[in-house]
């Protein structure tokens, strides 16, 4: 089949890499892509938020499947425009994508479906904000109701910082703090059948030991050796299937990737948030372990035939991703810096370790790959266990040079028994 992937980050590079290795994929396209994706897919220029433009591109390419990567195009209705052209698309409708587009909508769905989550208040006035902060106390959890590219959540002991973030949002959800480790669990669904993927854990803080500001994610690993073996079955029963069933009952069936961000609390599993697309950087490690051809899985979700798909096959290997971020990230990043060492990693570390591009582009004047965003690269490695995958990942990171860049050195260390 001919596949078109929409997006240009490391998540889309991971998707394109898996699809490029899929024997059923005869042609692979990506719009807009990045310097790394260009090595495995033909790139096209398109406004990813313009549904008519994306659908037109898919039609011209005679795509058999379109995969919409980022959340903003989904919330903008790009998947709807593609479906209207009769082209199979992996990604929910705009109405279903409100599960990520609005924290308040997600809370309403969870309440109706009986899904366990944090108690919360939706606030629109300063008085409501103060009342909610007083009701829950520290640590304060304040979430912008809308999309914020992974940076709309503040967790702080400082009530003034919490209030300032809340006042900067049009609508804000303030909720109780959930203790315990966090887990990301993806599920592919066609609106009825739900197929869970393997769980992963990501690292949101910018610096080692979970210090520094929140980011879009500085690394991830899978599997989770410390997690209850029954965790996926429990989340399927209490979270994923009830949510999909509730959205179908409302007449807004969710077809695509349902991402549950979970806290394993002292009182059981609780949903922190839902996303309507693959998460970044968890996608990088989950797809590194998936052995079932990706195109068949995504197309089955897009065409309502997941129930007939054989059980997914997984590698026993572990996977670790380390994000290399630009100077000053998660603030305004410096861009345009040359990235060196990419060829060395490809020659010396592949296939056990490889680089997935996030914020990169090729400088037209020099031909060099340069930084073009905050999170620049995702260095991903597999190994017989987490310790082996970690060693490979960090060895590859050590070959890369990006002036002013930073990365965490403790991704998966505790799970691997190294700290």
């Amino acid at each position: 089949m001919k596949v078109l992937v929409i997006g240009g980050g490391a998540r889309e590079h991971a998707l394109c890499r898996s699809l490029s290795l899929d024997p059923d994929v005869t042609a692979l396209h990506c719009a807009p892509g990045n310097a790394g994706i260009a090595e495995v897919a033909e790139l096209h220029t398109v406004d990813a938020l313009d549904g008519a433009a994306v659908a037109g591109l898919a039609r011209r390419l005679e795509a058999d499947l379109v995969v919409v990567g980022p959340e903003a195009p989904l919330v903008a209705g790009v998947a709807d425009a593609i479906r209207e052209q009769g082209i199979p698309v992996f990604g929910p409708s705009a109405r279903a994508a409100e599960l990520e587009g609005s924290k308040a909508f997600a809370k309403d769905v969870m309440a109706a479906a009986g899904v366990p989550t944090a108690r919360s208040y939706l606030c629109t006035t300063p008085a409501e904000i103060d009342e909610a902060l007083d009701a829950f106390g520290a640590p304060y959890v304040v979430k912008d109701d809308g999309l914020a590219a992974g940076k709309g959540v503040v967790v702080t002991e400082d009530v003034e910082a919490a209030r300032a973030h809340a006042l900067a949002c049009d609508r804000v959800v303030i909720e109780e703090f959930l203790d315990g480790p966090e887990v990301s669990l993806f599920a592919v669904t066609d609106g009825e059948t739900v197929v869970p993927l393997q769980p992963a854990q990501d690292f949101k803080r910018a610096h080692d030991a979970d210090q520094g500001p929140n980011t879009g994610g500085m690394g991830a690993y899978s599997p989770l050796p410390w997690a209850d073996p029954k965790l996926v079955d429990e989340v399927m029963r209490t979270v994923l299937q009830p949510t999909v069933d509730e959205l179908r009952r409302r007449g807004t069936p969710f077809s695509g990737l349902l991402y549950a961000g979970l806290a394993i609390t002292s009182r059981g599993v609780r949903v922190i948030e839902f996303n309507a697309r693959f998460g970044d950087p968890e996608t990088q490690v989950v797809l590194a372990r998936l052995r079932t051809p990706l195109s068949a899985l995504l197309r089955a979700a897009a065409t309502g035939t997941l129930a007939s798909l054989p059980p997914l096959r997984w590698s026993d290997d572990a996977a670790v991703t380390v994000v290399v971020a630009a100077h000053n990230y998660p603030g305004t990043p410096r861009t345009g810096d040359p990235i060196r060492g990419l060829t060395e990693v490809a020659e010396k570390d592949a296939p056990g370790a490889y680089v997935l591009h996030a914020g990169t582009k090729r400088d037209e004047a020099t031909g060099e790959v340069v930084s073009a965003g905050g999170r620049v690269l995702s260095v991903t490695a597999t190994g017989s266990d987490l310790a082996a995958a970690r060693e490979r990942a960090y060895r590859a990171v050590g070959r890369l040079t990006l002036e002013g860049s930073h990365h965490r050195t403790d991704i998966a260390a505790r799970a691997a028994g190294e700290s």
Side-chain angles (χ1 to χ4, degrees):
M1 68 181 82
K2 298 177 184 176
V3 182
L4 168 62
V5 176
I6 302 300
R11 163 186 48 224
E12 287 76 31
H13 194 178
L15 289 163
C16 285
R17 179 182 182 273
S18 291
L19 290 165
S20 73
L21 299 172
D22 187 331
D24 289 332
V25 177
T26 54
L28 181 59
H29 303 269
C30 186
N34 61 39
I37 295 174
E39 297 177 8
V40 296
E42 183 180 344
L43 302 192
H44 303 269
T45 300
V46 75
D47 179 353
L49 297 178
D50 184 337
V54 174
L57 174 63
R59 200 169 55 248
R60 289 194 302 277
L61 295 174
E62 299 180 336
D64 301 300
L65 175 68
V66 180
V67 181
V68 182
E71 61 274 23
L74 293 169
V75 173
V78 168
D80 303 81
I82 299 166
R83 280 195 187 91
E84 287 169 7
Q85 295 295 319
I87 301 169
V89 56
F90 183 82
S93 67
R95 291 179 66 194
E98 279 298 290
L99 202 61
E100 176 169 4
S102 167
K103 306 290 189 301
F105 176 75
K107 289 288 187 183
D108 185 61
V109 170
M110 284 188 272
V115 170
T117 187
R119 293 181 298 119
S120 65
Y121 293 104
L122 174 65
C123 305
T124 57
T125 67
E128 290 174 344
I129 289 168
D130 288 341
E131 185 179 343
L133 292 173
D134 289 343
F136 288 128
Y140 303 97
V141 181
V142 183
K143 299 180 176 181
D144 190 331
D145 180 54
L147 292 180
K151 300 173 191 171
V153 179
V154 165
V155 181
T156 179
E157 298 279 347
D158 183 345
V159 68
E160 290 307 321
R163 181 178 288 111
H165 181 65
L167 290 170
C169 305
D170 287 334
R171 285 162 36 110
V172 63
V173 172
I174 297 174
E175 63 183 39
E176 67 175 328
F177 176 77
L178 296 174
D179 63 337
E182 296 184 13
V183 173
S184 300
L185 185 61
F186 302 160
V188 173
T189 177
D190 57 11
E192 292 191 30
T193 301
V194 181
V195 176
L197 306 186
Q198 290 287 306
Q201 187 175 57
D202 76 333
F203 295 75
K204 290 295 188 193
R205 298 286 184 171
H207 307 306
D208 285 5
D210 293 327
Q211 300 298 303
N214 256 354
T215 71
M218 294 298 294
Y221 70 93
S222 178
L224 313 181
W226 50 267
D228 187 330
K230 299 176 182 174
L231 174 64
V232 173
D233 289 341
E234 179 186 351
V235 176
M236 271 289 292
R237 185 182 72 256
T238 63
V239 175
L240 297 170
Q241 192 70 58
T243 300
V244 169
D245 291 345
E246 171 62 19
L247 286 167
R248 188 175 68 253
R249 187 191 68 78
R250 293 177 177 220
T252 56
F254 188 106
S255 169
L257 195 289
L258 178 57
Y259 165 134
L262 308 164
I264 314 301
T265 76
S266 55
R267 294 172 292 146
V269 174
R270 298 288 186 273
V271 174
I272 300 170
E273 64 175 352
F274 281 126
N275 290 332
R277 39 71 193 180
F278 280 102
D280 182 344
E282 300 98 320
T283 301
Q284 289 88 300
V285 293
V286 172
L287 292 186
R289 301 184 57 225
L290 180 66
R291 289 293 167 264
T292 297
L294 183 60
S295 67
L297 174 63
L298 303 187
R299 186 173 170 84
T303 57
T305 57
L306 264 182
S308 61
L309 194 75
L312 299 184
R313 294 181 290 111
W314 296 92
S315 167
D316 291 330
D317 282 355
V320 171
T321 282
V322 179
V323 170
V324 177
H327 175 73
N328 200 44
Y329 178 79
T332 302
R334 192 173 74 205
T335 59
D337 289 316
I339 302 164
R340 301 204 165 90
L342 295 169
T343 301
E344 191 178 359
V345 173
E347 291 175 349
K348 296 182 177 179
D349 298 301
Y354 48 89
V355 179
L356 297 169
H357 293 229
T360 71
K361 68 177 183 180
R362 193 167 292 278
D363 187 295
E364 292 182 6
T366 66
E368 287 186 303
V369 176
V370 299
S371 60
R375 291 186 294 173
V376 181
L377 305 169
S378 283
V379 181
T380 302
T382 56
S384 57
D385 56 22
L386 285 174
R390 256 178 60 79
E391 194 276 330
R392 282 179 171 173
Y394 280 106
R395 184 170 57 206
V397 169
R399 301 191 200 279
L400 300 170
T401 303
L402 173 62
E403 187 179 345
S405 67
H406 62 97
H407 64 272
R408 286 184 59 156
T409 66
D410 61 348
I411 303 301
R414 184 178 300 171
E418 298 178 22
S419 69

